[in-house]
Amino acid sequence: VSFDIYGMERVGSGYVTCETTVGEEYVGSIELKNPGNLPLTGVKAEVLSAPANCKISFGEIGTLTPTQEVSLTYSITPSEPTKGNDWEKIEVRLTSNEGAFIDLPLYNYSRLASGQLRTNITDINTTMTKGSSRVYSFKIINAGKGETGKITLSLPDVGWMKSLTPVEMGSLMHGEETE
């Protein structure tokens, strides 16, 4: 006597984590497999529970043939940042017309877009000559997704070093730079 059992499984292990930015669509994928020898039809994802601040959608799979592996794509668009420090759990159930199902938890953490400062140099190596001055210039670039806020240049409290530009500078938007 032989019989067939319908089923599906996730390829890989570990948590599915999504670090998202408020107002931006995050697109990810989960690898799935039909380990059986019968096709699964009408495979679809259903969100069982999710944070109120996230819009979530899934791509379609349709039919999953025996031993086939596919990528299930999904998108998350948060409308506000996660409160606190804990990841938010999104519970998803994949089902087929044949009754096979698998529950997949996703973990999301939403942040506001923020600025990230970079410079076009990594260090300044030089020598000093008493009685003379040297000027070193460099660019400050906002490589982040959001605005930086006010920028303050902090120099050591020594009498022989000063800034030719103001030590307090205005905010830089995404992609902007100053010298």
Side-chain angles (χ1 to χ4, degrees):
V1 174
S2 68
F3 57 91
D4 294 311
I5 298 175
Y6 290 102
M8 62 181 102
E9 63 188 19
R10 181 175 157 228
V11 176
S13 60
Y15 295 110
V16 178
T17 58
C18 316
E19 291 190 56
T20 57
T21 303
V22 171
E24 293 183 14
E25 182 182 46
Y26 173 92
V27 177
S29 65
I30 302 169
E31 300 300 312
L32 301 170
K33 181 179 181 178
N34 176 355
N37 58 2
L38 295 171
L40 298 171
T41 61
V43 178
K44 62 182 177 183
E46 173 189 4
V47 177
L48 301 177
S49 68
N53 67 329
C54 291
K55 177 184 161 195
I56 304 164
S57 62
F58 285 86
E60 293 186 17
I61 293 178
T63 300
L64 196 53
T65 61
T67 69
Q68 180 184 13
E69 291 186 18
V70 297
S71 290
L72 172 65
T73 58
Y74 62 91
S75 69
I76 301 173
T77 306
S79 58
E80 59 185 55
T82 299
K83 291 174 178 56
N85 296 320
D86 293 330
W87 291 75
E88 299 172 301
K89 187 175 185 179
I90 300 168
E91 295 182 70
V92 179
R93 176 169 285 168
L94 287 152
T95 60
S96 75
N97 292 341
E98 293 76 22
F101 73 92
I102 184 173
D103 290 334
L104 297 170
L106 281 70
Y107 295 90
N108 177 63
Y109 198 90
S110 301
R111 303 175 196 277
L112 291 171
S114 61
Q116 187 172 20
L117 296 177
R118 299 271 190 248
T119 61
N120 65 331
I121 61 170
T122 56
D123 59 9
I124 298 173
N125 271 327
T126 189
T127 58
M128 294 177 26
T129 305
K130 190 174 183 173
S132 66
S133 62
R134 292 185 182 164
V135 176
Y136 296 95
S137 66
F138 59 92
K139 291 182 181 180
I140 300 172
I141 304 140
N142 180 3
K145 293 183 177 183
E147 190 174 357
T148 62
K150 180 179 75 172
I151 300 168
T152 303
L153 177 63
S154 298
L155 296 174
D157 190 17
V158 292
W160 49 267
M161 186 185 301
K162 66 179 179 175
S163 174
L164 296 178
T165 61
V167 292
E168 287 194 1
M169 296 168 259
S171 182
L172 293 177
M173 300 300 287
H174 167 71
E176 286 185 329
E177 61 184 53
T178 187
E179 189 165 354

